Amino acid sequence: MSIILGIESSCDETSASVCIDGKIVSNIIANQTIHELYGGVVPELASRVHQQNIVPAVHQAITAAKIHKKQIDAVAFTRGPGLLGSLLVGTCFSKAFALANNIPLIEVNHMQAHILAHFIDEPKPLFPFLCLTVSGGHTQIVLVKNYFDMEVVGETLDDAAGEAFDKTAKILGLPYPGGPLVDKNAKLGDPNKYKFTEPQIPELNFSFSGLKTAILYFVRDNVKLNPGFLHENMNDICASVQSRIVSILLNKLKKAAVQYEITDVAIAGGVSANSGLRDGLNAMATKEGWNVFIPKFEYCTDNAAMIAIAGYYKFLAKDFVGQEVAPLARMPF
Ligand code: KG4
Ligand code: ZN
């Protein structure tokens, strides 16, 4: 029997989770609302709030799992990538917890963990599969050969898909984080009303900065002609932008599937909560004959369950780190 405590603190969610024998039994997420006042995550504030939230989050995760802390066999934590001040809180907590309880420490790569969230519930994908990982900081197509043998075969050259959603929302005057609000408005709008061009980027890479600029000019020009333009057309604008972001993502995913001759395809990361992307992927899967894997909503955005499950597989492999480990803002696979 193995009990793993997972700790996530890479951005603005403080999260703790308990995994018993590969099953997630608790997943506590403390959101930080203070950043809404600033229109984006303020790193200094994020680390301070993590410091306040981490011990209560761990207590709640242990209580909800109906275990005693002395039963925990290992602590797994996000080492990177992420905001350094935020990562330091989770790393220091985990090192202290491991030391105090004399248990091993397991480092986890946040981007790998988003992908390994697919191993929390059935059906689990079979190796090798392709995963489109789309979050606030990353947009990657990953060839997943095994639990920790992953290759990034395509990525964004500038903004991440989540950033494209959030920056669009900001231009439209929606509060932060705007991605979910663009999604909500898009459900009521016409995706074919406005056409934004698809960038021609080589190979399996992406670019979203041109789209952001196009939206900025489009809004500026139309508001000049009609000051009520945004208010009157909000749902159609959101639907049209979302439809373009989704088509950019899915066209590259299709290209990757053909190139690598793979029909098992997954999505992961915060943007995989987007309903347009989920529907678009399902439609493409039917057309292309893919098996698709779409995470439950609670495992799309940042959470410690994905860290705990990654920790579980590392625990089985006895892949531990020492007390000298330090967090990494940038952390390749
Ligand atoms: O993975 P995540 O929680 O944090 C990072 O590691 O970045 O992803 C957060 C990103 C944000 O950009 C947020 O706006 C976006 O995911 N997001 C969405 C939706 N839910 C979250 N974007 C579009 N539609 C959604 N429903
Ligand atoms: Zn993330």
Side-chain angles (χ1 to χ4, degrees), residues 110 114 135 302 306:
H110 180 88
H114 268 301
S135 70
D302 290 347
M306 67 186 195

